[in-house]
């Protein structure tokens, strides 16, 4: 049975992306001070962008607009994925934290792709 989605807050992908955002903030808190305006800022902005674009898209008046914002969120997933790999390669993020964050990010990316496909089908009706 499908759940009724009254708000973006009801979407599991939004909920998971908020959890991920908090985890990114925690993980980047131990990065070197000189990265405050580099990777830390970029990673936090990319993470925040994911649930923000899900919410903004959900609030839009058309399916096509919603789909566009989900596409933007998917781009932020790819951006954050890249930044996590770079951070681990530079030794700012340990392997265990990287793997945990990447798993969360992969789940969110999969869910966003599914939502994007569902919106594409709805837009054709």
């Amino acid at each position: 049975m499908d759940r009724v989605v009254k708000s973006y807050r009801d979407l599991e992908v939004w909920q998971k992306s908020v959890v991920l955002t908090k985890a990114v903030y925690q993980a980047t808190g131990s990065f070197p001070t000189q990265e405050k305006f580099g990777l830390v800022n970029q990673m936090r902005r990319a993470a925040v962008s994911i649930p923000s674009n899900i919410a903004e898209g959900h609030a839009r008046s058309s399916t096509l607009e919603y789909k566009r914002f989900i596409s933007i969120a998917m781009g932020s997933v790819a951006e954050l994925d890249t930044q996590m790999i770079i951070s681990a390669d530079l030794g700012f993020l340990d392997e265990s934290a990287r793997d945990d964050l990447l798993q969360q990010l992969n789940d969110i990316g999969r869910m966003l792709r599914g939502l994007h496909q569902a919106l594409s089908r709805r837009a054709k009706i």
Side-chain angles (χ1 to χ4, degrees), residues 22-58:
K22 293 176 195 176
V24 167
Y25 267 76
Q26 291 172 340
T28 57
S30 62
F31 279 30
T33 305
Q34 70 267 22
E35 286 302 321
K36 182 179 181 184
F37 299 108
L39 276 171
V40 171
N41 186 44
Q42 287 184 304
M43 289 175 72
R44 288 177 175 185
R45 289 172 59 94
V48 167
S49 176
I50 299 167
S52 298
N53 278 294
I54 295 167
E56 187 168 356
H58 191 271

Side-chain angles (χ1 to χ4, degrees), residues 16-87:
K16 286 181 179 267
S17 62
V18 168
V19 169
L20 174 67
T21 300
K22 293 176 195 176
V24 167
Y25 267 76
Q26 291 172 340
T28 57
S30 62
F31 279 30
T33 305
Q34 70 267 22
E35 286 302 321
K36 182 179 181 184
F37 299 108
L39 276 171
V40 171
N41 186 44
Q42 287 184 304
M43 289 175 72
R44 288 177 175 185
R45 289 172 59 94
V48 167
S49 176
I50 299 167
S52 298
N53 278 294
I54 295 167
E56 187 168 356
H58 191 271
R60 294 296 175 140
S61 60
S62 77
T63 301
L64 288 176
E65 284 184 291
Y66 190 7
K67 186 177 154 188
R68 183 172 66 86
F69 278 91
I70 296 305
S71 293
I72 294 168
M74 290 165 60
S76 295
V77 166
E79 181 181 358
L80 185 55
D81 179 85
T82 300
Q83 294 160 351
M84 286 181 189
I85 291 167
I86 292 168
S87 296

Side-chain angles (χ1 to χ4, degrees), residues 20 23 95-105:
L20 174 67
E95 190 175 315
S96 174
R98 179 204 61 203
D99 291 348
D100 180 55
L101 291 170
L102 287 174
Q103 181 59 55
Q104 291 180 61
L105 194 60

